Amino acid sequence: MPLTILSGAQLRSLLLSLTHDQIVSIQQSLANALRDYSVGNQESGCAATLQPRRTAVTRKCGRTTLFMPSSTRRAIGIKVISLEDKGGTPGCEVESGEDLRGVKRVTAGEPGSRDSVTSVSSEMSELSLSSQEDSTERSSSVSSESDPLPSASVDSKPIEAGVSKTMGAWPGAGTRDTSPKGSITLLDDNSLPFGLINAEELTPFRTALTATMIFNKRKRVRTVVVFGAGKQAYWHIRLALTLRAEDIKRVIIVNRSFERAAQLLQDIYATENSSWRGEVKFSAVSSEFGEYGRILHDAINKADAIFCCTPSHVPLFPAELLTSREGRRKGRLISAIGSYKPHMTELHPDILREEVAVHPPHRHFHKHVRRSGVVVVDSLDAAMKEAGEIIQADIKPNQVVEIGELLMVRDATQGSNAADDEKHLREWVERGNVIFKGVGLGLMDLVTGSDLVELARARKIGTTVEDF
């Protein structure tokens, strides 16, 4: 079995050379895996019940090492990455196999599965289109007393409710990149290694692939606001423009260090990037600016999509910028993927509370976008244990929908006359207010990494050991 090794530089070279169609193809593979993860398709090997629990070790120096195993029908992966964060202890996923809604995940086609369009649409409409009437919590909701967090995932420090003055993007003014360091090992179904990839570039690339799945479906994406200026920010910007270049008119980068944001702009404006950069106007905003508050307010107000890509411990902007009467006048896609521990947060808890609030029938907002009643996540189990935004806002499991479930509804209704509930769901995804919170899954690295190894071999990129 040949083993293909991709260094950080080799992987970056490969990623930068990907065409629009190749990116779409890799994204579709990832979407299929996330759909199978959510619906319990054990035949594909991507079901949540087949994903081993990940774990973490934190050393006295404050460096946390995550071990993220994953599996599909054709491959097995193990990602090992280290991050330095002295502000808290590591997060851990719950044991796979038991859904936090209190329902055992099952294979599509088995009793209790959600493979029919009717059952899927009715469940999704109850979750995401219930903003006009009160609903009681399901008996399957998990309380902190009945399902305590693992000791390794609890941060004992009080949560700060203030607004970050430093944007949380960097520990110091451009002092270091916070990208995780490590690698992912890929093995075939006989447990023979076929790929070894540097994870530093792979992690932000697969995260941006996931975040832009909903972005692809949005009707209006003229103005995009990105918090952060590291690799996550770069790949969110690059993929957004590669996929929707004709629609995007302006990108606003918000970062603590203006120097760091300027470096990102310099990279984007490099000659070799003209093909995907197009005629989009870019601007950089720093908290060092004298009129930062006014500029930030204007940027959020105009934003059609907001990508939060910082490991922040406090909210990146005041909640009222989105929860006020003015802030509710338009639907936005808000993606928060930077924070990865219970004590960390990029979005103020009030933003999520407002999103899931179920308003009584007599309450109407003139010209205001209806709230969905849910927050979209990559993994329900992981988000309820690790996502600071979810935990601090006290979001319940029945107020969360996995992105794979949305993809399932999309695939089930394509080419058919969708029922009213399904049409409403589609309208919400395309025009409504959508909050996506991602904490990352090893499955994402395995699926994306496998596709990239195949492309690398075809292009003779990387080092291949023929008889490993």
Side-chain angles (χ1 to χ4, degrees), residues 254 284-299:
V254 184
V285 178
S286 167
S287 57
E288 300 168 348
F289 290 3
E291 296 188 6
Y292 172 70
R294 180 187 61 79
I295 297 173
L296 181 64
H297 177 278
D298 184 63

Side-chain angles (χ1 to χ4, degrees), residues 306-454:
I306 302 172
F307 292 120
C308 300
C309 307
T310 78
S312 182
H313 290 218
V314 289
L316 298 176
F317 53 87
E320 54 265 27
L321 294 186
L322 295 180
T323 61
S324 66
R325 189 176 184 85
E326 178 186 20
R328 294 196 304 267
R329 286 186 180 276
K330 66 184 295 186
R332 299 176 180 84
L333 168 63
I334 305 141
S335 175
I337 56 84
S339 60
Y340 53 90
K341 295 183 181 181
H343 70 284
M344 304 171 75
T345 184
E346 297 179 285
L347 301 177
H348 195 286
D350 286 349
I351 296 174
L352 278 72
R353 294 189 189 111
E354 173 71 18
E355 185 64 29
V356 302
V358 179
H359 304 301
H362 65 272
R363 183 178 179 185
H364 298 284
F365 295 114
H366 181 59
K367 293 184 179 179
H368 286 174
V369 175
R370 285 177 58 188
R371 299 292 163 172
S372 64
V374 295
V375 175
V376 182
V377 299
D378 45 7
S379 168
L380 168 67
D381 301 336
M384 298 304 297
K385 296 295 183 182
E386 300 178 15
E389 288 88 352
I390 301 289
I391 295 169
Q392 294 173 35
D394 195 28
I395 303 299
K396 306 302 181 185
N398 64 303
Q399 297 171 322
V400 172
V401 171
E402 288 178 344
I403 190 172
E405 295 178 281
L406 297 183
L407 295 171
M408 176 177 59
V409 173
R410 179 205 66 186
D411 293 345
T413 59
Q414 280 184 343
S416 64
N417 294 323
D420 288 342
D421 286 345
E422 292 153 5
K423 289 181 179 178
H424 292 160
L425 177 61
R426 186 169 297 176
E427 289 174 1
W428 164 59
V429 171
E430 294 177 349
R431 304 176 185 274
N433 213 62
V434 181
I435 297 179
F436 171 70
K437 174 59 193 175
V439 294
L441 293 169
L443 181 63
M444 298 176 182
D445 302 286
L446 173 56
V447 174
T448 305
S450 296
D451 284 354
L452 291 172
V453 166
E454 186 176 341

Side-chain angles (χ1 to χ4, degrees), residues 262-278:
Q263 290 175 0
L264 176 57
L265 284 179
Q266 186 177 9
D267 187 2
I268 292 173
Y269 274 103
T271 304
E272 61 269 21
N273 291 329
S274 60
S275 60
W276 61 266
R277 185 182 66 239

